[in-house]
Amino acid sequence: MSLRIIAGELRGRRIRAPAGRSTRPTGEAVREAWFSVLGDRIVDSRVLDLFAGSGALGLEALSRGAKWVCFVESNRGVLAVLKSNIDTLGVGQRAEVRAEDAHRVVAGLARRSEGSWDIALADPPYAGDGAVRVVSTFSRSAFASILCVEHAYGVHFPSAPNWQRRYGETALSIFLDPTEGAIHG
């Protein structure tokens, strides 16, 4: 299966999705919704792509003008596809891949009060409590200015999102560091 980059300098280019059921690539309509809401905030931003999978979200961010993306993925089999996609698109000089558990990465960022990320994109597996855990960590100590989470519709978070939309059984929720402005869209 292949995915298409929707907009920006890499528009129309294709990337591979990992085989099997270990990942659930974000569809084009939902990716377009993410980036429509983020708008110009993506330009020159430092982006953290958590549970990166194929890298579709982070690669879309690079295509739309992000200056740097750190892809975090723990599945060794999926990492090969992610690295291949980065190489295929020729964006390796603006990307870093961390073969680590996303929850450990954000917990480490929160403990250090690093907050150096402009935008964090999180698409954890729908099964389990991954989305709630990431938002809980963010609520205690914001590790980015903006946290965008894709999750199954009906998930209840410890704090209310600043913006949320439903797309069938999928929902997008955006949480802001309290020092950030509002999200419209």
Side-chain angles (χ1 to χ4, degrees):
M1 173 183 179
S2 71
L3 303 167
R4 181 177 65 93
I5 301 296
I6 301 167
E9 69 182 85
L10 303 170
R11 181 182 184 168
R13 302 275 306 269
R14 296 225 170 249
I15 60 172
R16 292 183 322 145
R21 295 176 169 251
S22 64
T23 62
R24 173 200 26 78
T26 300
E28 282 188 24
V30 176
R31 268 188 288 135
E32 183 59 43
W34 284 56
F35 289 97
S36 290
V37 171
L38 291 171
D40 289 339
R41 288 180 183 90
I42 204 73
V43 177
D44 292 327
S45 64
R46 291 178 34 86
V47 176
L48 185 61
D49 185 354
L50 302 166
F51 311 94
S54 67
L57 292 171
L59 293 168
E60 188 75 43
L62 286 171
S63 182
R64 292 173 185 242
K67 69 178 169 187
W68 182 260
V69 175
C70 177
F71 297 89
V72 180
E73 176 58 54
S74 62
N75 182 312
R76 299 284 178 197
V78 172
L79 279 166
V81 173
L82 171 59
K83 290 175 181 177
S84 173
N85 287 337
I86 291 168
D87 290 344
T88 296
L89 296 179
V91 294
Q93 73 283 3
R94 297 182 352 200
E96 170 189 5
V97 176
R98 291 177 68 174
E100 296 181 58
D101 176 78
H103 296 295
R104 284 192 200 131
V105 169
V106 297
L109 293 173
R111 277 194 303 276
R112 289 194 300 271
S113 299
E114 197 165 296
S116 63
W117 299 100
D118 299 308
I119 300 169
L121 308 172
D123 184 9
Y126 282 11
D129 65 349
V132 171
R133 288 177 61 196
V134 168
V135 170
S136 293
T137 301
F138 183 82
S139 295
R140 287 189 307 273
S141 180
F143 49 82
S145 296
I146 302 171
L147 170 64
C148 306
V149 183
E150 179 179 338
H151 55 90
Y153 179 73
V155 171
H156 298 285
F157 293 109
S159 58
N162 296 87
W163 180 94
Q164 186 176 68
R165 293 290 183 277
R166 179 180 180 182
Y167 302 90
E169 294 304 310
T170 295
L172 295 180
S173 296
I174 296 180
F175 300 84
L176 301 176
D177 178 323
T179 63
E180 292 299 309
I183 289 283
H184 305 285

